[in-house]
Amino acid sequence: MKVNFKHKSGRIQAMSRRDAEILQRLGRGAYMTRDLQATAPDQETLDEFDALSVEELHALAKERGIEVHHRAGAEKVKDALRKAQSGN
């Protein structure tokens, strides 16, 4: 039986259940059978930062006075913006 395995990096890969169980025990990610995925609630919530590009996120962070590394990826900049927003 094939299952979708979600690696810690976020990549989703279809593989056999046996292989997914081994990787999950090694702490490389988690898996759900396709039947469970259809009934699982959507855990991801979208906010205003998800629609912006990396350049726009960096500009917004600079405008708000939040220091992030110039080569930081979108997720790190979003996390910094969210952290600053919740701190205010």
Side-chain angles (χ1 to χ4, degrees), residues 17-71:
R17 185 177 194 154
R18 181 183 64 91
D19 294 338
E21 286 177 2
I22 292 169
L23 288 174
Q24 184 171 346
R25 285 186 191 140
L26 290 172
R28 303 288 175 95
Y31 79 95
M32 293 176 65
T33 62
R34 292 183 182 177
D35 297 334
L36 291 175
Q37 286 180 342
T39 59
D42 186 19
Q43 296 175 350
E44 225 174 284
T45 58
L46 298 177
D47 60 5
E48 69 217 48
F49 306 126
D50 291 327
L52 301 175
S53 69
V54 177
E55 293 82 17
E56 292 170 328
L57 288 168
H58 278 278
L60 183 61
K62 186 175 183 178
E63 177 183 304
R64 293 186 180 182
I66 301 167
E67 292 184 19
V68 291
H69 192 272
H70 69 281
R71 292 185 50 124

